[in-house]
């Protein structure tokens, strides 16, 4: 038998012994073990047989002897686990992948074993002998997507593992100790983090600086990051602390490029003001100004030997400057177009540059002669970079491709395709094994140079990525973007590739099942997926549509799901089996919206073919076609009594149709642009409509009069949904926000931020406690929108425990109670909104203080009593 199989089967047999214990007894005994140190519990079991000691410990338990035997059994299980490989080695390592996979398949539905694993995690708080098995247990629980929210993990000790994608929302992690743990994509929303000791952490994003920058560059020692800004300045940032060291002013227009000299003493900057400036890094003072170009300077680059500075410009020339004398040594101007990028080879003998004529040229610096002209790109060449050994040149282009060239022969070696828009910047890692690329598609990719495969990617920017640069030790990647941010990414953590379920493109539509346990999503990736609302686990995927799925809707009994697509078809799916029941192909253009009647017998669909169609669910036949007078229908919705159908149209109106007579009852006019979405209130008296005019209208259904107008969004309103009690309306917009409106007053109650792209769909759960949102950022978020009912202590109580003066800005008031409690995404997105941090440390393996990142993500960081008093004195 394979050793891996032996390990897995042996571990399962040990864990499965717990299944013999009654549920209530198991929970009670776990509580006893947690309250008493494990050694004391073991000692208790060796005492005399009259159980008098046990009766005191278990005064609420009637069957003392039964509990005594069960405690012995649990003690035996724990003892076996303590001696097992599970408590000695890291199950996050590659050699345990198959063991872990098979184990998860066996235990994923065994609740008692899951309870045991949670107990082993909590056991680390009282006994250091179980730290490794507790760490492995937590890792496996996260891999299984077990619901860990709102749990007490106080004082736990976790070591050498991955917690990628863990959901600790509203947990108590105070006093916990983490070491060498990957926390990428962890949800720490409203988590208590008092006096934690987290060190040697790994996380894919380290810092975020708020600045619109065109260029980023690390100093030779990696301690400083220089950024060139659109406000005509240059900033120098301390990489470790995230603090700004200097802001250098002197340019009179955008700073397009920055570059450190090899010795780190000088920073060069090139600008839209046509000048180059040299700055003293130590003092922040300007040393010299170099003039010679008569148009924007796009990029500058020091030669590795530090003697020459190259500058490429829109004036169709490259100047080579003598760094020592600050004089122009030579000018390259030989039938070249606008020069977008320049880069020296590691030996300083060759200069590569790319231009708007789609060519890359390799230039002999010494002779001034062209060595090669590289032809392959079909649009502007935006960036070039030599590999550290000088044998390969990477280039990126507006043709969305990255190409690798053999410097010796001038031949193309590889082409990397994957970006969906212009590739603005490429950079080799210092060891030459990775190539990073930043694109206008908002993403950063890491490519394996040897295999040509994409190793990983970083998502977080909401606009075009302009520039990327590796730190000298290759552990950090800096990026700048048009979203006015500069981000630092942990390369090592970013290369971790957990397999998360999720859509690969924008989310277009969401719908809760009638019992609230499942949420369906339709996407631009042509698929429909069903998700477990509690854990985010993917339950099913429907693949039949050949284009974007724009609308999904559950039947009232939850047995059927309807989907409408850009492929002009409507599909009906059996939710239980995942099989397609019917496919309707009568529409002649995109199907924008589908909706079941309240009795489930009719499905309505709205289309770009300017019609609404009603379908008989039982027969699968079209019942009727409603002519909408040559205007696309974006949204359809039945009234609660099923007698009226509302339709939002691109003629800026809302149409109300009588379902029985199939005639138009009225037309509601008032919006100034397309009506994207319509929704009836639960009592049927009010109809809400959202429009491209950024507004939401509330209409009186009976008389067709406008009751109120809700203003606040700053872009198209794509989706609206009433809460089940009818008191609140949720809206999602292209402004990336979700807003909650008080129907009675017409006032905005809350604004939910978190998505990094357009919000295309919002949907309330049947109980009204949860709001789901789907976005063009490819993610689904579930928000807790109920009033705060949790037993998490207020900031006043927590601060009083720590003897810290309360200053009146309550944690419970500061923190938006509407937090994302679940994120469904293929990407790892770190969340810490409303987390309470007091004392302790949060350091990554490079010594970077991650509290800055926590604060940027919405955490509340409180001072210790000593720090508070020092600042007051």
């Amino acid at each position: 038998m394979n050793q891996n199989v032996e390990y897995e089967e042996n571990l399962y047999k040990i864990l499965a012994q717990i299944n013999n214990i009654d549920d209530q007894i198991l929970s009670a005994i776990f509580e006893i073990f947690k309250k008493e140190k494990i050694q004391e519990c073991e000692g208790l079991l060796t005492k005399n047989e009259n159980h008098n000691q046990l009766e005191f410990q278990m005064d609420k338990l009637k069957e003392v002897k039964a509990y005594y035997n069960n405690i012995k059994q649990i003690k035996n299980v724990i003892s076996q686990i303590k001696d097992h490989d599970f408590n000695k080695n890291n199950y996050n390592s590659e050699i345990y992948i198959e063991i872990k996979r098979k184990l998860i398949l066996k235990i994923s539905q065994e609740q008692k074993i899951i309870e045991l694993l949670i107990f082993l995690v909590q056991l680390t708080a009282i006994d250091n002998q179980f730290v490794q098995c507790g760490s492995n247990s937590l890792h496996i629980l996260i891999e299984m997507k077990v619901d860990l929210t709102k749990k007490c993990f106080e004082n736990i000790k976790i070591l050498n593992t991955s917690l990628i994608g863990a959901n600790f929302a509203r947990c108590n992690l105070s006093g916990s100790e983490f070491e060498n743990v990957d926390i990428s994509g962890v949800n720490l929303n409203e988590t208590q983090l008092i006096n934690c000791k987290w060190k040697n952490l790994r996380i894919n994003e380290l810092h975020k600086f708020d600045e619109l920058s065109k260029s980023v560059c690390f100093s030779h020692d990696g301690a400083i990051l220089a950024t060139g800004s659109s406000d005509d300045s240059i900033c120098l940032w301390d990489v470790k602390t995230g603090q700004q060291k200097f802001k250098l002013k002197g340019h009179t227009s955008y700073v397009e490029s920055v570059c450190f000299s090899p010795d780190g003493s000088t920073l060069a900057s090139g600008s839209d003001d046509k000048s180059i400036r040299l700055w003293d890094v130590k003092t922040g003072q300007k040393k010299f100004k170099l003039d010679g170009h008569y148009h924007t300077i796009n990029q500058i680059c020091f030669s590795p030997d530090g003697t020459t500075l190259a500058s490429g410009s829109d004036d169709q020339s490259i100047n080579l400057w003598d760094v020592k004398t600050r004089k122009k040594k030579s000018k390259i101007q030989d039938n070249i177009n606008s020069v977008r990028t320049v880069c020296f080879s590691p030996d300083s003998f060759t200069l590569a540059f790319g231009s708007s004529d789609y060519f890359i040229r390799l230039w002999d610096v010494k002779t001034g002669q062209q060595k090669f002209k590289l032809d392959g790109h079909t649009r502007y060449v935006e960036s070039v970079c030599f590999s550290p050994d000088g044998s390969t040149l990477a280039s990126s282009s507006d043709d969305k491709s990255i190409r690798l060239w053999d410097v010796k022969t001038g031949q193309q070696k590889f082409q990397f395709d994957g970006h969906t828009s212009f590739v603005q910047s490429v950079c080799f890692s210092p060891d030459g094994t990775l190539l990073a690329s930043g694109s206008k598609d908002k993403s950063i990719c890491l490519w394996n140079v040897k295999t040509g495969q994409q190793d990983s990617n970083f998502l977080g920017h909401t606009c075009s990525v302009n520039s990327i640069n590796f730190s000298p030790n290759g552990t950090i990647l800096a990026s700048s973007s048009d979203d006015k941010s500069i981000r630092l990414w942990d390369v090592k953590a970013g290369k971790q590739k957990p397999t998360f379920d999720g859509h690969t493109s924008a989310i277009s539509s969401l719908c809760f099942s009638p019992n609230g346990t499942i949420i369906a999503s339709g996407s631009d990736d042509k698929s429909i997926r069903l998700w477990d609302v509690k854990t985010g686990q993917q339950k099913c995927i429907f693949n039949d549509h050949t284009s974007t799925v724009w609308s999904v809707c559950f039947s009232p009994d939850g047995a059927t799901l309807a989907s409408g697509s850009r492929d002009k078809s409507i599909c009906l799916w059996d939710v239980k089996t995942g099989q397609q029941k019917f496919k309707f192909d009568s529409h002649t253009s995109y199907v924008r919206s589908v909706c079941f009647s309240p009795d489930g017998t009719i499905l309505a669909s709205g289309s770009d073919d300017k019609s609404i169609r009603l379908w008989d669910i039982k027969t699968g036949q079209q019942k009727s076609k409603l002519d909408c007078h040559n205007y696309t229908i974006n949204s359809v919705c039945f009234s609660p009594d099923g007698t009226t159908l509302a339709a939002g149209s691109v003629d800026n109106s809302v149409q109300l149709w009588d379902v029985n007579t199939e005639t138009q009852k009225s037309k509601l006019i008032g919006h100034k642009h397309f009506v994207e979405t319509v929704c009836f209130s639960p009592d049927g008296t009010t109809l809400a409509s959202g429009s491209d005019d950024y507004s939401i209208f509330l209409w009186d259904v009976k008389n067709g009069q406008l009751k109120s107008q809700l203003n606040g969004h700053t872009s198209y309103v794509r989706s609206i949904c009433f809460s089940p009690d009818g008191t609140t309306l949720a809206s999602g917009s292209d402004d990336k926000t979700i807003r909650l409106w008080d129907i009675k007053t017409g006032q905005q109650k809350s604004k939910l931020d978190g998505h990094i792209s357009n919000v295309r769909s919002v949907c309330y759960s049947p109980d009204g406690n949860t709001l789901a949102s789907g976005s063009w950022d490819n993610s689904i978020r579930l928000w807790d929108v109920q009033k705060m009912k949790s037993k998490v202590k207020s900031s006043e109580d927590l601060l009083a425990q720590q003897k810290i003066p309360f200053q009146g800005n309550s944690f419970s008031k500061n923190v938006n109670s509407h937090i994302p409690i679940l994120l469904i995404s293929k990407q790892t997105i770190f969340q810490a909104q409303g987390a309470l941090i007091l004392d302790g440390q949060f350091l990554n393996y490079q010594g970077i203080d991650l509290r800055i990142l926590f604060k940027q993500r919405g955490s509340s960081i409180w001072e210790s009593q000593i720090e508070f008093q020092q600042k007051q004195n």
Side-chain angles (χ1 to χ4, degrees), residues 744-769:
K744 193 172 182 180
T745 66
Q747 298 300 304
Q748 181 178 304
K749 296 166 68 174
S750 301
K751 176 169 167 270
L752 312 185
D753 295 302
H755 284 294
I756 60 174
S757 191
N758 309 13
V759 179
R760 302 310 300 268
S761 184
V762 291
C763 184
Y764 270 101
S765 61
D767 63 7
N769 291 334

Side-chain angles (χ1 to χ4, degrees), residues 652-700:
N652 309 347
S653 76
V654 179
Q655 303 165 16
L656 297 184
W657 295 82
D658 187 302
V659 175
N660 294 323
T661 65
E662 299 174 3
T663 58
Q664 187 173 300
K665 297 166 64 174
S666 59
K667 192 171 186 177
L668 312 181
I669 298 173
H671 283 295
K672 297 176 182 177
H673 215 301
F674 301 166
V675 177
E676 295 283 354
T677 176
V678 291
C679 184
F680 279 98
S681 62
D683 64 6
T685 61
T686 303
L687 179 73
S689 57
S691 168
D692 287 358
D693 64 12
Y694 308 172
S695 73
I696 300 161
F697 285 3
L698 300 183
W699 307 88
D700 187 302

Side-chain angles (χ1 to χ4, degrees), residues 148-152 167-172 187-192 784 786-790 792 815-819 821:
L148 299 175
T149 61
K150 301 180 183 177
K151 291 196 180 298
C152 180
N167 188 358
F168 293 128
R170 291 184 175 157
C171 284
N172 183 355
N187 183 349
L188 294 173
N189 289 338
E190 291 196 359
T191 299
Q192 292 178 23
D784 185 344
Q786 64 178 326
K787 290 183 179 178
M788 292 289 285
K789 296 177 182 176
S790 68
V792 177
V815 174
N816 186 345
S817 61
H818 308 316
I819 65 164
I821 51 175

